[in-house]
């Protein structure tokens, strides 16, 4: 991605309605949490915005610990200070603490019901567990483009083989009239397309770490969890089971210059069938699905529909007529053909119809498709 992510002009927002879910019990204050910059190389163009000089916010931790036969609580609640908009800051901190209180009460009630049911039905009851931590990822300073961003990780055990963790991200513009920065604003124009490409890129690099159909079924919408790091890079957060098994944990995917180019897929000579003048026929489903396209085959019409995001096209066996998004059809060097029960298309279908990058690798006669 060569152009910078652009933050839109943000109007005054009301109070920040957080979905944070820790608890409040016996609390104590600890010292300020230091802000540590990572030494990783910058691989993305940061969010661009014209903002006044701002100082880094400070975060202290309110530690909440409680142990009973119903519930064990260990929580680190972030308490933010130093924002330019102190009214917004106060509302933010109050909201976090209020949600904390409600969440611990919720789990206590659930645990009490479970304990009663265990006694009545003669099965062992295990105390519930609540563990919450946070991480400040952008400190609101001028160097961070005036963005305050942090994540809150909430682990809950309510019985069963194991508990589960959920992560929430909060991103705020540290200005005189602070406001939440939406994902759309953080990504900028064309950002959702870049975000989709980033997810497909990440999945294609290690497909065995994800659900088999994750590359074609994942979803990103305006409410998707994200955070901004100290370099201004938007990181998408995927919860447990969202695109990978439980063992995959929480998955963070940066939308940067490397990932936003999208996935790539290489077909070896055994996958290809020779066409005229050094061209190739490519197995449509194998290549398209590896690149995040959905392929639907109709046995009745001997045709296939191919779609990804806003792209849509269809091809028909034996018909040298190719369209994209219902535009005027074009001809390629050949029509699609069935080979041993699989539909093959010319390699230029991916470049001229789907507008992807197709490269012939002369070293081993393979073909790589990117985008």
């Amino acid at each position: 991605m060569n152009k910078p992510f652009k933050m839109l002009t943000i109007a005054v927002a009301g109070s920040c309605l957080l979905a944070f879910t820790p608890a409040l019990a016996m609390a104590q204050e600890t010292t300020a949490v230091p802000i540590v910059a990572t030494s990783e190389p910058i691989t993305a163009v940061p969010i661009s915005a014209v903002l006044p000089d701002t100082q880094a916010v400070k975060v202290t931790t309110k530690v909440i610990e409680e142990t009973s036969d119903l519930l064990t609580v260990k929580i680190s609640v972030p308490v933010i200070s130093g924002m330019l908009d102190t009214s917004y800051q106060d509302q933010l901190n109050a909201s976090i603490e209020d949600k904390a209180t409600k969440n611990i009460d919720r789990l206590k009630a659930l645990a009490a019901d479970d304990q009663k049911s265990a006694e009545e039905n003669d099965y062992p009851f295990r105390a519930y567990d609540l563990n919450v931590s946070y991480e400040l990822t952008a400190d609101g300073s001028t160097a961070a483009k005036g963005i305050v961003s942090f994540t809150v990780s909430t682990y809950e055990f309510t019985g069963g083989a194991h508990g589960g963790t959920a992560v929430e991200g909060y991103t705020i513009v540290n200005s005189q009239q602070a406001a939440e920065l939406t994902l759309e604003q953080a990504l900028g124009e064309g950002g959702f397309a870049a975000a989709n490409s980033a997810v497909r890129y990440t999945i294609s690099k290690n497909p065995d770490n994800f659900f088999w159909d994750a590359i074609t079924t994942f979803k990103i919408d305006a409410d998707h969890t994200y955070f901004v790091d100290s370099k201004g890079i938007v990181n998408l957060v995927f919860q447990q089971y969202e695109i990978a098994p439980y063992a995959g944990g929480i998955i963070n995917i940066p939308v940067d210059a490397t990932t936003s180019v999208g996935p790539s897929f290489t077909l070896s000579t055994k996958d290809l069938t020779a066409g005229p003048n050094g061209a190739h026929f490519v197995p449509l489903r194998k290549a398209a699905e590896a690149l995040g396209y959905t392929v639907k085959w109709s046995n009745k019409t001997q045709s296939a529909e191919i779609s990804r995001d806003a792209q849509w096209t269809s091809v028909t066996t034996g018909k040298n007529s190719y369209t994209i998004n219902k535009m005027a059809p074009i001809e390629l060097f050949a029509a699609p053909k069935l080979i041993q029960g699989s539909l093959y298309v010319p390699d230029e279908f991916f470049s001229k119809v789907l507008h992807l990058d197709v490269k012939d690798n002369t070293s081993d006669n393979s073909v790589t498709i990117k985008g």
Side-chain angles (χ1 to χ4, degrees):
M1 174 174 282
N2 295 320
K3 61 182 180 180
F5 299 121
K6 183 178 180 183
M7 187 187 77
L8 305 180
T9 302
I10 302 173
V12 179
S15 61
C16 184
L17 301 178
L18 298 180
F20 181 73
T21 56
L24 179 64
M26 299 183 298
Q28 64 183 42
E29 297 289 345
T30 66
T31 57
V33 177
I35 297 167
V36 181
T38 63
S39 59
E40 297 176 6
I42 297 175
T43 57
V45 182
I47 294 173
S48 62
V50 179
L51 294 172
D53 288 343
T54 55
Q55 293 183 343
V57 299
K58 296 180 180 179
V59 181
T60 55
T61 303
K62 180 173 285 188
V63 177
I64 302 167
E65 294 182 310
E66 178 179 337
T67 302
S68 70
D69 59 345
L70 292 177
L71 176 66
T72 298
V73 175
K74 186 175 182 180
I75 298 175
S76 297
V77 177
V79 181
I80 299 173
S81 61
M83 289 183 64
L84 296 177
D85 188 341
T86 56
S87 176
Y88 186 99
Q89 173 185 282
D90 291 344
Q91 293 177 47
L92 172 62
N93 289 330
S95 177
I96 291 174
E97 192 159 313
D98 179 63
K99 296 291 175 64
T101 303
K102 291 178 179 177
N103 197 51
I104 195 169
D105 290 342
R106 175 182 63 84
L107 283 184
K108 278 184 176 179
L110 289 174
D113 288 343
D114 193 5
Q115 185 184 56
K116 181 180 179 181
S117 179
E119 292 174 352
E120 294 173 348
N121 295 280
D122 193 26
Y123 65 82
F125 168 78
R126 293 178 64 187
Y128 285 12
D129 192 16
L130 177 63
N131 193 309
V132 179
S133 60
Y134 70 91
E135 180 183 3
L136 184 68
T137 58
D139 63 13
S141 64
T142 302
K145 303 297 182 182
I147 301 299
V148 176
S149 191
F150 61 96
T151 59
V152 176
S153 300
T154 301
Y155 169 83
E156 292 185 7
F157 173 79
T158 57
H162 52 69
T165 301
V167 172
E168 297 170 275
Y170 307 110
T171 303
I172 304 154
V173 180
N174 185 22
S175 62
Q176 294 293 339
Q177 294 179 316
E180 178 187 359
L181 186 68
T182 68
L183 178 58
E184 183 177 9
Q185 291 165 338
L187 289 172
E189 184 179 356
F192 277 102
N196 286 334
S197 293
V199 177
R200 294 187 185 106
Y201 173 91
T202 303
I203 295 173
S204 70
K205 287 297 180 181
N206 295 286
D208 291 341
N209 293 343
F210 299 88
F211 291 135
W212 68 271
D213 59 348
I215 198 167
T216 60
T217 59
F218 76 88
K219 299 291 182 183
I220 299 173
D221 56 27
D223 297 323
H224 195 93
T225 300
Y226 84 100
F227 64 88
V228 173
D229 66 21
S230 60
K231 304 179 188 69
I233 299 171
V234 173
N235 287 257
L236 303 170
V237 178
F238 288 87
Q239 311 295 341
Q240 289 176 324
Y241 295 115
E242 193 170 357
I243 59 174
Y246 175 83
I250 303 296
I251 297 171
N252 299 330
I253 297 179
V255 184
D256 61 25
T258 298
T259 62
S260 61
V261 299
S264 66
F265 183 66
T266 298
L267 299 113
S268 65
T269 53
K270 68 179 182 179
D271 298 315
L272 305 168
T273 296
N277 301 319
H280 302 90
F281 283 94
V282 174
L284 174 62
R285 182 179 294 278
K286 183 174 185 176
E289 290 186 342
L291 295 165
Y293 287 86
T294 298
V295 180
K296 295 182 179 179
W297 170 256
S298 170
N299 194 55
K300 180 179 180 180
T301 61
Q302 294 289 285
S303 63
E305 293 185 3
I306 305 97
S307 61
R308 191 181 78 175
D309 299 336
Q311 279 188 312
W312 180 93
T313 189
S314 66
V315 297
T316 302
T317 304
K319 185 177 181 181
N320 192 353
S321 179
Y322 300 86
T323 63
I324 181 67
N325 293 339
K326 301 182 180 179
M327 300 291 286
I330 62 172
E331 289 188 356
L332 301 180
F333 71 71
K337 63 179 181 178
L338 287 171
I339 301 176
Q340 295 182 344
S342 296
L343 187 64
Y344 281 63
V345 295
D347 52 11
E348 60 183 359
F349 168 81
F350 291 90
S351 59
K352 294 184 177 180
V353 179
L354 298 184
H355 305 297
L356 305 177
D357 178 42
V358 179
K359 178 183 177 183
D360 291 320
N361 303 309
T362 55
S363 60
D364 58 5
N365 295 318
S366 63
V367 170
T368 298
I369 307 173
K370 296 181 180 180

